[in-house]
């Protein structure tokens, strides 16, 4: 039996439908972000996740509610897949007081501690050691939770990548290192910035490592299930490289001089949404009417999110100095 | 009261806090079997075990990051960075993660972490190993910066650091480790942040110092008293963030003169900040421009004579004060 059939059968129509819905939601949400950016409603750096949706959806589906997540600045997809409120994520992108970070974080810094979503990090590889520490805390407090750390292929050149993998293995922390290899770090192909292959780096630190098709949500889900089981059993960290591709530029200001349109088209032919849709249709899990309904639902949620963001207030200027440090409440 | 060296007072603070709070653990380079580069953590591995006293790889950025993650995960770690010179490698974690997460997350996350490091020149360790960077860390909103000058303060401030919900940069001048002083043995003895210490009262000039430079300030004040009949008030800031400027301003309004002493470089240093605030708040009270006595603007040389020529001395302080009275 192929991976696809086993995962398809164990998951069933309802969960696969959920995966499809989430991937479609992220896709449409990102398109909307792009629109709002051109209208000047979203400002600053904006990194769209279009093309990589299978990674976020496949990984989050395997976690428990008490697990902790840290990710990189391309974080909208992870936030939505983790169940953060799309309204409040969009409000954050628009810098509004109702945003998940109160308008202080922006696109690259989404947080929702109530969901174990401990942030998007905009300094490449800076959050890798944090995930080791989170895993360490879980282990020391004898909690069953694990830490998931998501980062791009660009991270592997940083010293902190190596420091973190080493310490994580030394101290057997329940940490999953999930590398979204979308082939480029901004405009540099990862093969031009790395002398070896990514999973070999993890293996060099004695960490189990696999490489999977990151544009196949079922493959990501299965790899993550193994990683989660490994961590929960107290065996220490686990490494996943997911081969994926971003359809849009690195950020909104990227003229994309480093790649050909043809390459993008080739990857679009392996689109994660199209593939899951086809799988579900073959299995008789999805009718055209049901797909249409999903499309409408997604449209509505994204429309509502944009409207919520638009109608939300700006943070008051009197809050400028809020949350500088945490002090005991007086009184 | 017990008389102890600063390093022993620091160890007592760590011990008492670890006994009080089970979420506290220590990690750092050579803090376990070796006992710490300055023997601050000596014996703690034996007392608290490997789970709570962890020797780490030499990876400053990584271990500070792990400390931040563990703090976010509900523990209260202490990371020892051996010396402040190596903290450059951890600067991104300290500045971009520890100092900012509370604000960026709109108050959802906080990072209760104590980062200890030894600082200061004067030991002929050469340019790479002689930094004083208290002012650098004080530059960043979101951090607390503590730099004790005595055994009692070292204990009270370090214990206080573990009662804080934020990241505390705890800087220990190497010249202070062996200084002896009376230390209260009350396990609840704390020294509050943002409260400067008037070490010596005086009426003619205010000398402000922190960390190692407090001792130059005190010796200078004695010289001024006995040799020049000038009465100097000496203030130890104790913490640079939060900063107790009120005590400094009140003193300057009384003495009408201020001299700042620090081991850091003059150019762009913390003394410039103090000077500006004095000017802003006590301009009309000043009888002379604020004077700064700092490290000369060079990397600290190895040679003993050259190094001493670069570092501020009590004679430099006396000279600065006398110049004020001549003008
Ligand atoms: C330490 C650091 N250096 C440089 C940058 C600028 N920068 C932002 S994203 C990026 C590329 C990272 O690529 P990758 O990790 O593959 O993630 P992707 O954008 O492809 O998802 C760079 C160089 C940064 N944010 N942080
Ligand atoms: Mg990349």
């Amino acid at each position: 039996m192929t991976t696809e059939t086993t995962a398809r059968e164990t998951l069933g129509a309802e969960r696969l439908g959920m995966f499809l819905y989430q991937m479609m939601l992220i896709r449409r949400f990102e398109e909307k972000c792009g629109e709002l950016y051109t209208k000047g409603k979203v400002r600053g750096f904006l990194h769209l996740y279009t093309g990589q949706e299978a990674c976020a959806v496949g990984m989050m589906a395997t976690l428990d509610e008490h697990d902790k997540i840290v990710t990189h600045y391309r974080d909208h997809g992870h936030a939505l897949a983790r169940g953060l409120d799309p309204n409040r994520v969009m409000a954050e992108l628009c810098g509004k007081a109702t945003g998940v970070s109160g308008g202080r974080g922006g696109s690259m810094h989404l947080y929702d501690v109530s969901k174990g979503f401990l942030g998007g990090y905009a300094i490449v590889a800076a959050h890798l050691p944090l995930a080791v520490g989170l895993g360490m805390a879980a282990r020391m407090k004898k909690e069953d939770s694990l830490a998931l750390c998501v980062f791009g292929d660009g991270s592997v050149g940083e010293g902190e990548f190596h420091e973190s993998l080493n310490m994580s293995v030394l101290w057997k922390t329940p940490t999953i290192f999930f590398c979204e290899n979308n082939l480029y770090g901004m405009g540099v192909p990862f093969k031009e910035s790395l002398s070896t292959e990514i999973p070999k780096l993890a293996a060099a630190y004695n960490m189990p490592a696999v490489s999977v098709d990151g544009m196949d949500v079922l493959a990501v889900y299965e790899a993550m299930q193994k990683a989660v089981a490994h961590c929960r059993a107290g065996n220490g960290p686990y490494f996943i490289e997911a081969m994926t591709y971003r359809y849009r530029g690195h950020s909104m200001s990227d003229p994309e001089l480093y790649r050909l349109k043809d390459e993008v088209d080739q990857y679009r032919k392996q689109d994660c949404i199209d593939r899951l849709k086809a799988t579900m249709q073959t299995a008789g899990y999805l009718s055209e009417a049901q797909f249409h309904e999903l499309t409408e639902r997604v449209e509505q949620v994204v429309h509502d999110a944009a409207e919520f963001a638009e109608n939300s207030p700006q943070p008051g200027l009197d809050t400028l100095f809020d949350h500088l440090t945490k002090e005991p409440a007086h009184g | 009261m017990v008389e102890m060296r600063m390093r022993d007072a620091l160890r007592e603070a760590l011990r008492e806090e670890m006994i009080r709070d089970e979420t506290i653990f220590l990690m750092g380079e050579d803090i376990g079997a070796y006992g710490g580069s300055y023997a601050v953590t000596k014996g703690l591995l034996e007392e608290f075990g490997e789970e709570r006293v962890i020797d780490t790889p030499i990876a400053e950025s990584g271990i500070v990051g792990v400390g931040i993650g563990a703090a976010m995960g509900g523990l209260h770690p202490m990371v020892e960075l051996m010396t402040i010179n190596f903290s450059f490698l951890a600067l991104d974690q300290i500045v971009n993660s520890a100092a900012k997460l509370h604000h960026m997350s709109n108050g959802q996350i906080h990072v209760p972490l104590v980062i200890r490091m030894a600082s200061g020149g004067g030991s002929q360790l050469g340019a790479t190993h002689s930094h004083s960077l208290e002012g650098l860390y004080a530059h960043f909103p979101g951090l607390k910066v503590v730099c004790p000058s005595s055994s009692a303060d070292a204990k009270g401030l370090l214990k206080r650091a573990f009662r804080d919900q934020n990241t505390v940069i705890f800087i220990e001048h190497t010249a202070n480790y062996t200084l002896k002083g009376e230390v209260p043995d009350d396990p609840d003895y704390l020294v509050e942040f943002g409260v400067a210490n008037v070490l010596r009262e005086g009426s003619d000039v205010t000398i402000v110092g922190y960390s190692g430079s407090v001792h130059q300030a005190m010796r200078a004040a004695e010289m001024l008293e006995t040799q020049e009949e000038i009465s100097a008030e000496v203030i130890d800031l104790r913490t640079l963030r939060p900063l107790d400027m009120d005590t400094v301003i009140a003193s300057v309004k009384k003495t009408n003169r201020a001299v700042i002493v620090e081991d850091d470089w003059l150019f762009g240093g913390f003394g410039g900040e103090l000077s500006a605030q004095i000017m802003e708040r006590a301009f009309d009270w000043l009888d002379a421009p604020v004077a700064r006595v700092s490290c000369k603007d060079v990397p600290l040389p190895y040679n003993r004579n050259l190094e001493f020529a670069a570092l501020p001395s009590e004679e430099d302080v006396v000279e600065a004060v006398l110049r004020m009275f001549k003008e």
Side-chain angles (χ1 to χ4, degrees):
Chain A
M1 258 195 304
T2 63
T3 307
E4 200 175 274
T5 13
T6 36
R8 193 181 72 202
E9 280 162 10
T10 45
L11 283 162
E14 200 181 315
R15 288 209 71 195
L16 289 183
M18 189 61 190
F19 287 4
L20 187 61
Y21 166 75
Q22 286 188 324
M23 293 198 295
M24 289 167 65
L25 174 65
I26 297 169
R27 175 78 44 96
R28 189 67 195 101
F29 189 93
E30 293 296 68
E31 286 165 359
K32 185 55 113 185
C33 293
E35 284 168 38
L36 294 180
Y37 194 88
T38 35
K39 286 186 187 156
K41 307 269 184 199
V42 176
R43 309 291 294 260
F45 282 140
L46 176 66
H47 308 86
L48 299 180
Y49 193 64
T50 327
Q52 304 184 203
E53 295 88 345
C55 291
V57 171
M59 67 174 84
M60 296 301 171
T62 62
L63 297 185
D64 283 351
E65 61 176 327
H66 52 268
D67 292 331
K68 306 281 188 281
I69 298 138
V70 284
T71 179
H72 53 162
Y73 47 84
R74 199 179 296 285
D75 58 351
H76 314 168
H78 310 117
L80 295 177
R82 180 59 176 177
L84 271 67
D85 179 358
N87 289 358
R88 296 193 56 214
V89 174
M90 193 63 94
E92 186 57 39
L93 300 188
C94 295
K96 297 300 181 74
T98 53
V100 287
S101 316
R104 288 184 154 73
S107 161
M108 305 194 287
H109 302 294
L110 305 172
Y111 305 87
D112 188 344
V113 171
S114 73
K115 297 223 155 51
F117 197 83
L118 302 183
Y121 291 77
I123 302 297
V124 167
H127 57 305
L128 274 76
L130 272 58
V132 179
L134 285 163
M136 196 165 164
R139 212 204 59 211
M140 287 167 87
K141 289 163 77 187
K142 309 223 173 349
E143 290 170 356
D144 191 28
S145 64
L146 58 82
L148 169 66
C149 182
V150 190
F151 51 91
D153 47 288
S155 280
V156 306
E158 290 283 1
E160 280 176 315
F161 172 90
H162 299 269
E163 295 178 16
S164 301
L165 264 58
N166 180 39
M167 288 187 287
S168 182
V169 173
L170 278 176
W171 300 328
K172 266 193 155 186
T173 70
T175 308
I176 299 175
F177 293 93
F178 193 108
C179 178
E180 295 184 327
N181 186 349
N182 60 9
L183 310 187
Y184 294 94
M186 290 184 65
V188 180
F190 88 95
K191 287 190 172 157
E192 287 177 23
S193 63
L194 182 65
S195 63
T196 179
E197 288 146 40
I198 293 174
K200 283 189 184 164
L201 293 171
Y205 292 103
N206 278 331
M207 192 184 301
V210 292
S211 187
V212 298
D213 181 352
M215 298 182 79
D216 175 359
V217 68
L218 300 182
V220 172
Y221 177 82
E222 293 230 312
M224 271 296 290
Q225 272 198 317
K226 287 197 191 108
V228 167
H230 178 90
C231 283
R232 297 230 198 274
N235 296 325
Y238 198 97
F239 194 99
I240 297 173
E241 175 192 42
M243 300 307 298
T244 183
Y245 198 78
R246 64 169 156 70
Y247 295 163
R248 302 287 299 258
H250 168 73
S251 68
M252 296 305 282
S253 55
D254 177 1
E256 294 187 66
L257 301 173
Y258 51 85
R259 65 180 187 186
L260 297 172
K261 175 101 183 15
D262 188 47
E263 183 182 284
V264 184
D265 292 340
Q266 286 306 314
Y267 280 96
R268 278 189 187 270
K269 285 185 191 144
Q270 306 170 39
D271 185 67
C272 57
I273 295 175
D274 291 347
R275 277 160 80 179
L276 182 60
K277 184 184 168 198
T279 305
M280 289 181 69
Q281 283 177 331
T282 312
Y285 289 167
L286 185 74
S287 66
E288 262 317 310
Q290 283 169 316
F291 182 71
H292 184 71
E293 195 201 310
L294 279 182
T295 311
E296 304 247 284
R297 223 171 96 204
V298 161
E299 199 54 43
Q300 189 64 47
V301 171
V302 172
H303 172 268
D304 292 351
E307 202 166 79
F308 176 84
E310 174 74 26
N311 295 333
S312 286
Q314 301 279 347
L317 293 182
D318 58 333
T319 68
L320 180 61
F321 293 102
D322 287 2
H323 311 304
L324 211 45
T325 57
K326 184 176 166 74
E327 301 304 334
H330 290 293
Chain B
M1 289 283 190
V2 197
E3 187 177 69
M4 38 173 114
R5 294 173 302 186
M6 188 175 88
R7 67 158 59 103
D8 304 316
L10 290 164
R11 186 183 317 114
E12 270 309 292
L14 290 174
R15 277 193 68 243
E16 287 176 12
E17 291 304 291
M18 287 178 82
I19 291 166
R20 177 187 65 83
D21 181 352
E22 292 234 306
T23 68
I24 295 174
F25 73 98
L26 318 181
M27 52 190 283
E29 295 160 13
D30 273 309
I31 65 163
Y34 192 96
S37 300
Y38 293 92
V40 171
T41 53
K42 200 167 149 219
L44 298 183
L45 172 65
E46 290 77 3
E47 185 171 353
F48 294 98
E50 287 180 346
E51 269 282 295
R52 296 184 71 192
V53 181
I54 302 170
D55 273 323
T56 67
I58 305 162
E60 290 74 17
S61 183
I63 61 182
V64 170
V66 172
I68 293 168
M72 290 162 71
L75 299 177
H76 203 143
M78 181 223 77
V79 173
E80 182 176 313
L81 278 185
M82 204 173 262
T83 84
I84 202 163
N85 307 290
F86 317 135
S87 75
F88 286 123
L89 282 92
L91 207 51
D92 175 65
Q93 285 297 347
I94 296 171
V95 175
N96 270 323
S97 301
K100 297 197 174 94
L101 276 163
H102 190 60
H103 187 79
M104 284 200 305
S105 69
N106 205 27
Q108 293 182 77
I109 292 175
H110 63 285
V111 185
L113 170 68
V114 178
I115 306 178
R116 285 185 40 250
M117 42 183 110
S119 84
S123 309
Q124 284 194 267
L125 300 181
T128 60
H129 279 58
S130 304
H131 288 98
S132 293
L133 304 173
E134 292 86 350
L136 172 82
Y137 286 107
H139 186 59
F140 303 110
L143 293 178
K144 303 211 175 170
V145 180
V146 180
C147 40
S149 69
S150 71
S151 300
D153 280 358
K155 184 175 179 193
L157 288 167
L158 186 53
K159 284 169 69 71
R160 171 63 182 75
F162 285 104
R163 318 290 172 107
D164 209 276
Q165 294 301 299
N166 307 282
T167 297
V168 178
I169 307 295
F170 199 94
I171 300 172
E172 302 155 10
H173 198 290
T174 51
N176 293 345
Y177 278 127
T178 49
L179 291 183
K180 285 187 175 171
E182 294 288 319
V183 179
D185 42 18
D186 173 7
D188 289 322
Y189 169 69
L190 301 176
V191 174
E192 196 40 61
F193 289 173
V195 183
N197 195 8
V198 181
L199 284 175
R200 191 182 196 283
E201 291 198 12
S203 50
D204 300 329
V205 60
T206 301
I207 308 177
V208 184
Y210 57 87
S211 195
S213 68
V214 169
H215 302 287
Q216 277 96 303
M218 284 299 278
R219 285 192 294 267
E222 270 145 43
M223 286 159 73
L224 287 166
E225 173 105 79
T226 53
Q227 297 165 17
E228 313 287 344
E229 288 178 23
I230 290 174
S231 158
E233 182 143 306
V234 175
I235 298 177
D236 174 3
L237 294 173
R238 296 205 279 210
T239 62
L240 303 193
R241 236 191 222 266
L243 175 64
D244 177 6
M245 212 52 209
D246 290 349
T247 297
V248 175
I249 296 297
S251 175
V252 173
K253 285 184 177 173
K254 181 176 74 173
T255 64
N256 311 110
R257 288 177 186 85
V259 179
I260 297 149
V261 200
E262 61 181 345
D263 283 359
D264 197 359
W265 289 296
L266 183 84
F267 193 99
F270 193 74
E273 173 65 28
L274 292 171
S275 170
Q277 290 204 32
I278 293 169
M279 185 270 289
E280 285 159 1
R281 293 178 58 183
F283 185 75
D284 289 339
W285 281 266
L286 288 174
D287 286 346
V290 175
R292 288 177 290 159
V293 178
S294 317
C295 184
K296 307 290 185 304
D297 212 7
V298 288
L300 274 190
Y302 160 71
N303 175 275
R304 186 177 162 80
N305 296 338
L306 292 177
E307 183 180 33
F308 275 59
L311 286 169
S313 67
E314 43 268 38
E315 288 81 9
D316 294 337
V317 180
V318 169
E319 229 174 80
V321 172
L322 293 181
R323 240 180 288 131
M324 290 181 141
F325 281 92
K326 279 198 196 104
E327 273 154 17

